Amino acid sequence: MNIYTSGGQTRARKANASDMSKPANAFAPKAVGNGEAGLFHFVGQIISDLSGLTPGTSYYLDTTGGGLTATPPSIEGQGVQLVGVALSATSFLFSPQPMVEFN
């Protein structure tokens, strides 16, 4: 999730690495609808109840909103952000690093 301020209000939207504008600074383990309250995890938290992760693998923010990938983005202008590491097939340590632009 990308937490940002608009019109003096704190808002959340899906983070993505298609450019540098929406880095991940929170993690929502379940979908949150527009205008709904949701659970958000922040730096250093372990997120459980996930699936399909490869233990020990570092994951990056994907160019698809809200996605993770083991392969960092590699097209000029995209953002590259390491967001954490899989502790098991179902748990993830959320530890986002600053986003840098791929060039």
Side-chain angles (χ1 to χ4, degrees), residues 45-47 50 53-60 68 82-88 91-96:
Q45 292 188 303
I46 295 174
I47 297 116
L50 302 175
L53 301 175
T54 302
T57 299
S58 294
Y59 283 89
Y60 297 84
L68 297 176
L82 177 65
V83 292
V85 64
L87 302 175
S88 71
S91 65
F92 180 76
L93 174 61
F94 183 61
S95 182

Side-chain angles (χ1 to χ4, degrees), residues 1-100:
M1 296 300 300
N2 174 254
I3 307 295
Y4 68 104
T5 302
S6 177
Q9 293 190 356
T10 301
R11 300 180 183 272
R13 59 188 170 196
K14 289 183 179 179
N16 75 70
S18 60
D19 60 29
M20 298 287 291
S21 67
K22 297 180 185 115
N25 47 25
F27 191 97
K30 304 226 186 282
V32 179
N34 190 22
E36 294 179 349
L39 174 67
F40 297 96
H41 295 280
F42 293 94
V43 177
Q45 292 188 303
I46 295 174
I47 297 116
S48 299
D49 296 329
L50 302 175
S51 63
L53 301 175
T54 302
T57 299
S58 294
Y59 283 89
Y60 297 84
L61 180 61
D62 200 350
T63 55
T64 301
L68 297 176
T69 179
T71 306
S74 59
I75 296 175
E76 188 170 337
Q78 291 180 334
V80 178
Q81 184 182 25
L82 177 65
V83 292
V85 64
L87 302 175
S88 71
T90 60
S91 65
F92 180 76
L93 174 61
F94 183 61
S95 182
Q97 303 301 304
M99 183 181 274
V100 296

